Amino acid sequence: MVSQSHEALHRIFQKDPTLLTKALQRVLHVPFPEPREIAGLNIDLTEIEPVERRVDTLLRAETDEGTYLLVVESQGKVDERKRGSWPYYLSYLYEKFRCEPVLIVITQSSTTARWASRPIRLGFPGWESLTVRPLVLGPDNVPVIADERQAQKDVPLAVLSAMTHGRGPQAPAILESLAGALRTIDPDSAAVFVQFVDSCLADPQAKQMWRDLMTAIQYFWRHPLAEQVREEGREQGLEQGRIQDRQEMTLRILEWRGLSVPDSIRERVMACTDLAQLELWAQRAVHATDAAELFAEE
C-alpha cells in the first residue's frame, strides 16, 4: 500500500513544478535550462495487460534547449527491482514522446539516497548497452532551512527541506521557521503544504510538534487533517488541554533535542498555567543549548 509520505514526497512537485527545476539547479548543480512552461502528464505507463507500470510524478518541461520529461520517483527504501523498472520507464517514455526523459529520485533516507545515486549499468562491463544515472534529492543535499526569513523567500523549497529533514535535532528549528513562512502565502496553498509535511514526518515527536505549531494558523483548520486534530483537542478539554499541551510540548522539544531537563525545570514548566508564557518557552526550547535558557530573561 502506498504511504502518505511516499505520495507527499513527489506530489509537492505537482503542486509547484518549478520547485523541481530549482532543486536540480541549486541543490544538484545540474545546468538544467529554465523552462518556459511545465505541464503534468499522465503517469500511467501500462502497455498491454497484465503488466501495469506507473511513475510517481511525470512533468513535461519546455525549454529553449528542448523538451524534457521530468520523471519523479519517491523512494522510501532500497529496492533492487528499480534496476529494471527505472530503465524501462525512461526507454518507454522516450519511445512514446520522443523527447529526453530525466529521472529524479527523492528520499528521506541517506542510505537510500546513496543507493539510488549509483548508476544502473546494463550490458557487458565496460561496454554497457544502457546506463541510467538518477539525480537524487535527499537529506544529504537538500538545504536545511531553519531561518524564517530564508523560508519566506522560497516557501516550496522550505517545505521540501522540512519533508527531507523532518527528524533529528534540526527538525524543531526547520518546522518553526516553515510555520512562520506559511503565514505569508495564500491560505489554500499553505493548507496543501501543511498536509505534505504532516504526511512525511515519521518521527512521532516531530509530527506532534508540527501539529502543535499548526494550531495557531487558522487556515489549517480547512484541511481534512484538521478534523482529526480537532477531535484530539476535544478529548483533552478546552483551556486546560491547551495549557497541558504547551507544557508537554516544551519539555518534549528539550528532550528530543538531547538536552538534560532537571526536575526543577520540569516542575516549573508543569506548574505554569499562563498559555502565553508557555508559548514563549516552547519557542525558546527550539533554539536553546541548555534547558535553563528557557528562563534566561526572567
Side-chain angles (χ1 to χ4, degrees):
M1 181 177 178
V2 177
S3 67
Q4 288 185 332
S5 175
H6 176 279
E7 287 294 286
L9 277 173
H10 70 87
R11 286 183 59 200
I12 186 175
F13 299 113
Q14 298 175 15
K15 170 64 180 173
D16 187 339
T18 61
L19 174 61
L20 189 56
T21 54
K22 285 188 290 188
L24 292 177
Q25 296 162 351
R26 301 178 191 178
V27 178
L28 300 178
H29 305 294
V30 173
F32 192 87
E34 199 65 38
R36 296 190 305 272
E37 179 185 353
I38 297 182
L41 300 177
N42 191 333
I43 63 173
D44 193 347
L45 306 185
T46 305
E47 286 189 282
I48 303 174
E49 58 181 6
V51 179
E52 181 178 300
R53 298 181 187 271
R54 295 177 185 270
V55 296
D56 288 332
T57 286
L58 180 61
L59 304 169
R60 183 201 296 267
E62 302 286 351
T63 77
D64 291 335
E65 299 177 21
T67 301
Y68 294 90
L69 297 176
L70 304 179
V71 185
V72 185
E73 285 283 281
S74 174
Q75 194 65 28
K77 61 183 179 181
V78 173
D79 183 356
E80 291 299 330
R81 292 176 298 177
K82 297 296 184 179
R83 286 180 51 83
S85 58
W86 284 343
Y88 172 86
Y89 295 164
L90 301 180
S91 299
Y92 176 84
L93 289 168
Y94 180 78
E95 177 64 21
K96 181 175 181 179
F97 294 99
R98 287 295 167 176
C99 50
E100 302 296 336
V102 179
L103 175 61
I104 301 104
V105 179
I106 179 167
T107 181
Q108 296 175 297
S109 164
S110 295
T111 300
T112 303
R114 288 191 295 270
W115 164 80
S117 63
R118 296 203 308 262
I120 300 171
R121 296 185 172 91
L122 304 179
F124 187 75
W127 197 264
E128 289 79 9
S129 301
L130 177 64
T131 300
V132 175
R133 298 178 59 195
L135 297 168
V136 182
L137 294 167
D140 294 330
N141 55 16
V142 173
V144 172
I145 299 180
D147 177 80
E148 186 173 330
R149 286 174 297 180
Q150 186 182 2
Q152 290 176 5
K153 292 178 181 177
D154 196 333
V155 174
L157 188 60
V159 173
L160 185 62
S161 176
M163 291 165 65
T164 52
H165 295 283
R167 62 183 68 181
Q170 298 178 106
I174 294 172
L175 296 177
E176 185 185 44
S177 299
L178 176 58
L182 287 174
R183 293 184 174 92
T184 66
I185 66 174
D186 72 276
D188 291 334
S189 293
V192 175
F193 288 144
V194 165
Q195 175 63 9
F196 282 160
V197 174
D198 189 89
S199 297
C200 283
L201 293 175
D203 186 316
Q205 291 178 308
K207 186 182 287 286
Q208 184 60 52
M209 178 187 175
W210 179 242
R211 292 185 176 185
D212 288 340
L213 289 168
M214 290 302 97
T215 57
I217 304 179
Q218 294 304 313
Y219 57 70
F220 171 61
W221 300 117
R222 289 194 277 171
H223 198 281
L225 174 67
E227 184 57 36
Q228 176 184 346
V229 180
R230 276 198 293 268
E231 286 298 328
E232 294 170 359
R234 292 188 191 107
E235 293 173 4
Q236 291 174 352
L238 299 170
E239 186 70 14
Q240 185 56 42
R242 287 195 293 271
I243 290 172
Q244 183 178 349
D245 238 14
R246 293 305 178 273
Q247 293 169 336
E248 294 174 352
M249 182 177 75
T250 302
L251 297 174
R252 275 202 307 269
I253 293 173
L254 292 172
E255 293 168 349
W256 184 33
R257 297 185 62 231
L259 301 180
S260 175
V261 183
D263 289 343
S264 58
I265 291 178
R266 186 180 302 276
E267 290 168 3
R268 182 170 176 180
V269 171
M270 294 305 293
C272 180
T273 57
D274 184 335
L275 194 57
Q277 181 65 71
L278 290 167
E279 291 277 8
L280 177 61
W281 288 348
Q283 292 172 14
R284 289 178 181 172
V286 173
H287 304 286
T289 56
D290 184 279
E293 292 179 17
L294 291 186
F295 321 121
E297 299 177 10
E298 299 166 25

